């Protein structure tokens, strides 16, 4: 997983409330056996709506998603976060997130930033007025800056450390690879092994 420290980029102004994971990644795309290739299906059904911002060329290349309250509600599909990440988004800023979606973001290197609804509205307005506006999401300082806004956000220290160091669950386990190997070397031969 790529470390996340400070990211500056343009934003996509979605701003819709109660966007569920089926809107983010429709169920018909969950049949893949790989964890890759989901970016192209991001918001597949919503993209048929005229004016949907993901297809607006003014926001092409955006790397920060500005969302509405209760973003990522619905089912617990991790595919929704995979699609967001594979479409190039490094952070999602919203007034609130569904708990499971937020956890999936943290485990997959996408930073979910909770800011007050009024602050998110100011950012949405600024980006809609000028799609070239850049925002900075600073995990080290726990702050979002840009468009005349400087807003602090909270994040649990363990989640912050994992993102700063680029560690997913496997990465954390592999930090103990030498100890695991030493333990396995001294296990009785009659016990099950991975070899």
């Amino acid at each position: 997983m790529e470390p996340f420290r400070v990211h500056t980029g343009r934003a996509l102004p979605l701003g819709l409330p109660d966007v569920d994971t089926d809107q983010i990644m429709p169920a018909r795309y969950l049949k893949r056996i790989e964890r890759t290739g989901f970016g192209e299906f991001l918001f597949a059904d919503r993209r048929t709506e005229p004016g949907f911002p993901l297809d607006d060329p003014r926001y092409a290349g955006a790397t920060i998603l500005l969302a509405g309250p209760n973003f990522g509600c619905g089912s617990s599909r991790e595919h929704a976060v995979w699609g967001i990440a594979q479409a190039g988004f490094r952070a999602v800023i919203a007034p609130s997130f569904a708990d499971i979606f937020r956890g999936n973001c943290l485990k997959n290197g996408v930073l979910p930033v909770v800011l007050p609804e009024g602050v998110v509205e100011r950012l949405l307005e600024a980006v809609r007025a000028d799609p070239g506006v850049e925002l900075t999401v600073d995990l080290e300082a726990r702050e979002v800056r840009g468009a005349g806004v400087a807003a602090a956000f909270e994040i649990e220290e363990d989640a912050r450390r994992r993102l700063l160091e680029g560690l997913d669950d496997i990465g954390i386990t592999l930090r103990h690879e030498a100890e695991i190997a030493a333990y396995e070397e001294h296990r009785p031969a009659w016990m099950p092994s991975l070899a």
Side-chain angles (χ1 to χ4, degrees), residues 5 38 52 60 66 75 79 103 113 126 129 141 147 150 158 182-183 192:
R5 293 186 179 89
F38 290 98
F52 191 71
L66 293 173
S75 72
H79 305 74
V113 176
D158 183 60
Y183 173 81

Short mmCIF file of all heavy atoms in Angstrom, two decimals, residues 5 38 52 60 66 75 79 103 113 126 129 141 147 150 158 182-183 192:
data_model
loop_
_atom_site.label_atom_id
_atom_site.label_comp_id
_atom_site.label_asym_id
_atom_site.label_seq_id
_atom_site.Cartn_x
_atom_site.Cartn_y
_atom_site.Cartn_z
N ARG A 5 0.89 10.77 3.10
CA ARG A 5 1.38 11.78 4.04
C ARG A 5 0.68 13.12 3.76
O ARG A 5 -0.11 13.58 4.55
CB ARG A 5 2.89 11.91 3.93
CG ARG A 5 3.60 10.65 4.41
CD ARG A 5 5.12 10.80 4.45
NE ARG A 5 5.71 9.59 4.94
CZ ARG A 5 6.08 8.56 4.17
NH1 ARG A 5 5.91 8.63 2.86
NH2 ARG A 5 6.61 7.48 4.70
N PHE A 38 -11.46 -2.27 -11.16
CA PHE A 38 -12.76 -1.77 -10.73
C PHE A 38 -12.96 -0.28 -11.00
O PHE A 38 -14.08 0.21 -10.98
CB PHE A 38 -12.99 -2.07 -9.24
CG PHE A 38 -13.19 -3.53 -8.97
CD1 PHE A 38 -12.13 -4.31 -8.53
CD2 PHE A 38 -14.42 -4.13 -9.17
CE1 PHE A 38 -12.30 -5.67 -8.29
CE2 PHE A 38 -14.60 -5.48 -8.93
CZ PHE A 38 -13.54 -6.25 -8.49
N PHE A 52 -23.46 14.27 -14.61
CA PHE A 52 -22.81 13.62 -13.47
C PHE A 52 -21.33 14.04 -13.46
O PHE A 52 -20.64 13.94 -14.47
CB PHE A 52 -22.95 12.10 -13.54
CG PHE A 52 -22.53 11.41 -12.28
CD1 PHE A 52 -23.30 11.50 -11.13
CD2 PHE A 52 -21.36 10.69 -12.23
CE1 PHE A 52 -22.92 10.88 -9.94
CE2 PHE A 52 -20.96 10.05 -11.05
CZ PHE A 52 -21.75 10.16 -9.91
N ALA A 60 -11.63 16.06 -14.87
CA ALA A 60 -10.77 14.93 -15.24
C ALA A 60 -9.45 15.01 -14.47
O ALA A 60 -8.86 16.07 -14.34
CB ALA A 60 -10.50 14.95 -16.74
N LEU A 66 -15.13 14.91 -3.08
CA LEU A 66 -15.92 15.65 -2.10
C LEU A 66 -17.32 15.05 -2.09
O LEU A 66 -18.04 15.12 -3.08
CB LEU A 66 -16.00 17.13 -2.47
CG LEU A 66 -14.69 17.92 -2.40
CD1 LEU A 66 -14.88 19.32 -2.95
CD2 LEU A 66 -14.17 17.96 -0.98
N SER A 75 -24.27 -1.90 1.74
CA SER A 75 -23.53 -3.14 1.96
C SER A 75 -22.06 -2.86 2.25
O SER A 75 -21.55 -1.77 2.01
CB SER A 75 -23.65 -4.07 0.74
OG SER A 75 -22.89 -3.56 -0.34
N HIS A 79 -15.21 -3.65 -2.70
CA HIS A 79 -15.05 -3.28 -4.10
C HIS A 79 -15.30 -1.80 -4.34
O HIS A 79 -14.71 -1.20 -5.24
CB HIS A 79 -16.02 -4.09 -4.97
CG HIS A 79 -15.90 -5.56 -4.80
ND1 HIS A 79 -16.37 -6.21 -3.67
CD2 HIS A 79 -15.38 -6.52 -5.60
CE1 HIS A 79 -16.13 -7.51 -3.79
NE2 HIS A 79 -15.53 -7.72 -4.95
N GLY A 103 -13.82 2.00 7.39
CA GLY A 103 -12.79 1.00 7.70
C GLY A 103 -12.15 0.42 6.45
O GLY A 103 -10.93 0.22 6.41
N VAL A 113 -11.81 11.60 5.22
CA VAL A 113 -11.69 12.79 6.05
C VAL A 113 -13.08 13.30 6.40
O VAL A 113 -13.87 13.60 5.51
CB VAL A 113 -10.90 13.90 5.31
CG1 VAL A 113 -10.87 15.17 6.14
CG2 VAL A 113 -9.50 13.43 4.97
N ALA A 126 -16.55 26.10 -3.92
CA ALA A 126 -15.31 26.60 -4.50
C ALA A 126 -14.89 25.77 -5.71
O ALA A 126 -14.48 26.31 -6.74
CB ALA A 126 -14.20 26.60 -3.45
N ALA A 129 -17.19 26.34 -8.67
CA ALA A 129 -16.93 27.65 -9.27
C ALA A 129 -15.63 27.66 -10.07
O ALA A 129 -15.52 28.33 -11.09
CB ALA A 129 -16.89 28.73 -8.19
N ALA A 141 -0.30 16.75 9.41
CA ALA A 141 -0.80 17.86 10.23
C ALA A 141 -2.28 17.70 10.58
O ALA A 141 -2.82 18.51 11.34
CB ALA A 141 -0.60 19.18 9.49
N ALA A 147 -8.83 26.64 -1.20
CA ALA A 147 -10.09 27.33 -1.48
C ALA A 147 -10.50 28.21 -0.30
O ALA A 147 -11.68 28.31 0.02
CB ALA A 147 -11.18 26.33 -1.83
N ALA A 150 -8.96 26.23 5.88
CA ALA A 150 -7.96 25.47 6.62
C ALA A 150 -8.73 24.81 7.76
O ALA A 150 -9.13 25.47 8.71
CB ALA A 150 -6.85 26.37 7.15
N ASP A 158 -3.69 4.95 15.45
CA ASP A 158 -3.26 3.71 14.78
C ASP A 158 -3.56 3.77 13.29
O ASP A 158 -2.72 3.40 12.47
CB ASP A 158 -3.95 2.50 15.41
CG ASP A 158 -3.47 1.20 14.78
OD1 ASP A 158 -2.25 0.92 14.85
OD2 ASP A 158 -4.30 0.48 14.19
N ALA A 182 11.34 -17.80 12.70
CA ALA A 182 12.02 -18.46 13.81
C ALA A 182 11.08 -19.39 14.55
O ALA A 182 11.45 -20.52 14.92
CB ALA A 182 12.59 -17.41 14.77
N TYR A 183 9.86 -18.97 14.75
CA TYR A 183 8.87 -19.82 15.42
C TYR A 183 8.59 -21.06 14.58
O TYR A 183 8.58 -22.18 15.10
CB TYR A 183 7.57 -19.03 15.64
CG TYR A 183 6.45 -19.88 16.16
CD1 TYR A 183 6.37 -20.21 17.51
CD2 TYR A 183 5.48 -20.39 15.30
CE1 TYR A 183 5.35 -21.01 17.99
CE2 TYR A 183 4.45 -21.19 15.76
CZ TYR A 183 4.39 -21.51 17.11
OH TYR A 183 3.39 -22.31 17.57
N PRO A 192 1.02 -29.23 11.57
CA PRO A 192 0.79 -28.72 10.21
C PRO A 192 1.77 -27.60 9.88
O PRO A 192 2.17 -26.83 10.77
CB PRO A 192 -0.64 -28.19 10.24
CG PRO A 192 -1.27 -28.78 11.45
CD PRO A 192 -0.18 -29.10 12.41
#
